[in-house]
Amino acid sequence: MMSEELTVYSARVEKKIGFVGALTALAEQFRIHRWHIGQLFIRDFSNSYQLTRFGVIWNYLLPVVPITVWVLLSGLRMFPSFNGVSSVVWVTMGVTLWFLFSGFLMLPITTVEAKIREGSKSDLPLIGFVIVGYAQLFFDTMVRLIATAGVFAFFQGVPDPAAIAVPLVVVAAFLFFAGIGLILAVFNLAYRDIAKVVAMVLQYGMLLSGIVFPITEVPVLSDFVAWNPFFVFVDSIRTLCVAGTLSHPAALAGFSASGLLIFLFACRFFYLSENRLKGFS
Amino acid sequence: MFMHGDTVLEVDGVSKLYSRSPLESQNRIAEIVNAAFWGRDFLFGEMQKREFWALDGVNFTLKRGEAIGVIGLNGAGKTTLLRMLVGQFPPDRGEIRIAGKTAGMIDLTAGFNARMSGRENIYLRSATLGRTKEQVESMYDEIAEFTELGEALAAPLSTYSAGMRMRLAFATTIFVDPALLVIDEVLAVGDFQFRQKCLERVRALRERCAFVFASHSMTDIARFCNEAIVLDKGRVDFKGEPEAAIRHYQSKRPRTYLEPAHPEGTADKLGDRFNDEADLTDLRYAYVASSGVETSAFHWNEPIRLKVEFRLHRPVSRLNIGVPLWRDGEETMLCALSTEQNEFSIAPDEDGKCAVEVEFGRGVLAPGAYQAVLAIVDGPKFLYRQPIKDFTVERERAPRTWGQFVIPHAWSEQKRNPRTNQ
């Protein structure tokens, strides 16, 4: 046998790999291809504003536009304040978190569907394209976060010290929604209706998750909020920042734990499926 | 799993299933996804109605320094095989084992972005090829110099001509040092000088690594490979010496498209062969001497007459008969005679028959052997294009000549006027 590395392309599926092994393999793919991922992010980032007169300003402006719409409506007193929290703050935080969490879910689905062909002609594994998408989502969220922090400081003052735990909740939400997103992304290649159904569900989901108005005040819906992961994660962060408490700790713990399991399963499923699905588009 | 000696590539019973129906492909994806989700083995069940094996049980091995050519008609499975060799998608049966790095020259412009500059595209394309930032930075100057694009590298790719894009793509891709090099069709791009540079680079690589090359150019297959396989409907139909493989391939090709008779020789300079028997039949031609006798040997100062007859089975609007000429052993076309050039119109008779004669060459062609092609074209459509019989211009009784032909010319002497001294 030669001393060089041996590459094997086989019809056989690498079934022996475990959950942690798959997660490690995906992380290794990220490490190997991190420069390529960076190049693609730069490409997409600069493509989005090229040939415009205002240039890169659009990349900072567009992410905050949806927030400004809701803030404008709140400013016109379209939404009530809740538990002493200004409706502007309520809506700004809600919309920022909604875009982040729905992005965690939707991005893998749309990215894998769009990039499966490009992925077949590139050295970059599909997970790399998903990470490029997440990098753009991260940038947009950072821009929104600055706007949200400004609104919070202006209308609400200083956040509660317990807000330091917010990143943990965000990570838990990421594991939960990204895990589901990765699983659905693979299934969506076989059943193309999935992307459309998820998009449709998210349209209703924004209204049913207490993003722009306090859903706990709506009699019929308030009984079910603890079963809605979007509501649980968004509301946990809001209450942590405003009051320093968790509104639904048990539900949050449940979704966080299940999120970890879902994410591990999703990583293995995605890793095992990816190689077999290359070439289909 | 283990590879011995200098073996770089082992292709072991490799097969790939495709479907002509998108719905059937979706069903296959569903089977794969469901199997992966439940942790089951994925086994191909019954073949669907429109499924077929794009590759079926392909086997071969390749050692360092060896080059294998892959020949086949469009759809024979050449590109599918090559894409699997570079890992773009997996086989559905069998296994491919490669010792060392692989570089593929397939879809040269894949990963390019029209809005980004040439320089940025070198980085982007390199990333697509799996290079690290450090590797690209270390080879950037070499790539840029190879492209010969100079300051144009700072301009967006959208401003490039097709030739400039190919230069950039080729240069970015060719700077590799793999154990296995896989090339689909494109050995060289650009103008003559740039093509020479590309070929030189490919030749240097071919000596260092194992080389898999798919092409429709039989000359390139014969020139670069020491073995060839002929793929037919996904199966290896023939494997052996390139010349034998080419002969086998040509013997199986449809009659409307014939390959050169001497793929490794000068015959390829004569270009594509075409004979559409649905549109043109009963073709006869003959070289005729001034005596009226058929011949293929002419005296230097004798007119060469070529008579051509054929029957057309389609209405024609702009019939043109062309006869390009080459001197034996020379790659460059000497000249081309055509009815269009002389504004000579041809009208078929009621039965579609045409008969023309062209006279040329008296005292013009230098002694030697000549090759010619007869091309019959209606507007842009070729009806017939085949090499015809060689002819010679005899040296006997010919004055001493230099070069390939003598252009009509006359000498005169200018005497000085003693009065004016001019």
Side-chain angles (χ1 to χ4, degrees), chain A residues 82-83 90 209-210 213-223 225-226 231 235 247-248:
Chain A
F82 179 64
N83 285 349
W90 177 275
S209 303
F213 63 90
I215 198 165
T216 47
E217 301 300 296
V218 182
V220 183
L221 301 174
S222 60
D223 296 341
V225 289
F231 171 81
D235 205 53
S247 56
H248 295 81

Side-chain angles (χ1 to χ4, degrees), chain A residues 43-250:
Chain A
R43 178 194 71 177
D44 293 348
F45 189 81
S46 57
N47 268 357
S48 63
Y49 68 79
Q50 272 194 358
L51 302 179
T52 63
R53 300 283 176 183
F54 292 106
V56 74
I57 291 171
W58 286 115
N59 290 33
Y60 292 90
L61 194 62
L62 288 178
V64 291
V65 169
I67 293 180
T68 58
V69 172
W70 293 107
V71 166
L72 186 68
L73 292 174
S74 302
L76 295 171
R77 302 194 183 283
M78 298 284 284
F79 307 112
S81 59
F82 179 64
N83 285 349
V85 181
S86 155
S87 66
V88 178
V89 172
W90 177 275
V91 168
T92 307
M93 289 184 77
V95 171
T96 300
L97 293 169
W98 170 260
F99 279 121
L100 180 63
F101 297 162
S102 60
F104 286 156
L105 177 69
M106 199 61 195
L107 247 164
I109 301 171
T110 51
T111 306
V112 169
E113 188 176 343
K115 299 291 183 182
I116 184 93
R117 189 181 285 270
E118 187 180 338
S120 292
K121 295 181 178 179
S122 166
D123 224 42
L124 188 68
L126 276 176
I127 195 70
F129 291 102
V130 175
I131 293 169
V132 173
Y134 277 146
Q136 182 62 50
L137 177 66
F138 180 77
F139 174 83
D140 292 349
T141 303
M142 284 296 114
V143 173
R144 288 189 194 112
L145 213 55
I146 291 167
T148 306
V151 167
F152 195 98
F154 186 79
F155 289 96
Q156 204 69 31
V158 181
D160 192 277
I164 202 160
V166 165
L168 291 177
V169 184
V170 173
V171 169
F174 170 76
L175 296 177
F176 186 86
F177 293 117
I180 294 173
L182 287 172
I183 294 169
L184 293 180
V186 176
F187 272 108
N188 182 55
L189 294 175
Y191 311 101
R192 298 281 172 143
D193 318 65
I194 288 174
K196 294 168 182 26
V197 170
V198 173
M200 203 171 72
V201 168
L202 288 178
Q203 294 286 326
Y204 283 98
M206 189 171 183
L207 295 174
L208 298 176
S209 303
I211 303 301
V212 291
F213 63 90
I215 198 165
T216 47
E217 301 300 296
V218 182
V220 183
L221 301 174
S222 60
D223 296 341
F224 301 101
V225 289
W227 296 97
N228 180 348
F230 280 108
F231 171 81
V232 171
F233 284 118
V234 170
D235 205 53
S236 297
I237 291 172
R238 266 200 296 231
T239 52
L240 269 176
C241 290
V242 173
T245 57
L246 289 170
S247 56
H248 295 81

Side-chain angles (χ1 to χ4, degrees), chain B residues 292-305:
Chain B
V293 178
E294 278 191 25
T295 182
S296 59
F298 297 88
H299 294 301
W300 178 73
N301 206 23
E302 181 185 22
I304 298 163
R305 286 158 60 197

Side-chain angles (χ1 to χ4, degrees), chain A residues 1 5-12 14 275, chain B residues 1-3 8-10 12 14 84-87 89-91 94-100 102:
Chain A
M1 187 182 170
E5 59 177 297
L6 184 69
T7 307
V8 179
Y9 301 121
S10 172
R12 284 176 288 145
E14 196 183 349
N275 186 43
Chain B
M1 180 66 80
F2 293 101
M3 298 170 72
V8 173
L9 170 67
E10 284 180 1
D12 185 7
V14 163
M84 285 199 285
L85 293 181
V86 297
F89 44 77
E95 199 165 85
I96 296 166
R97 295 180 286 275
I98 302 164
T102 309

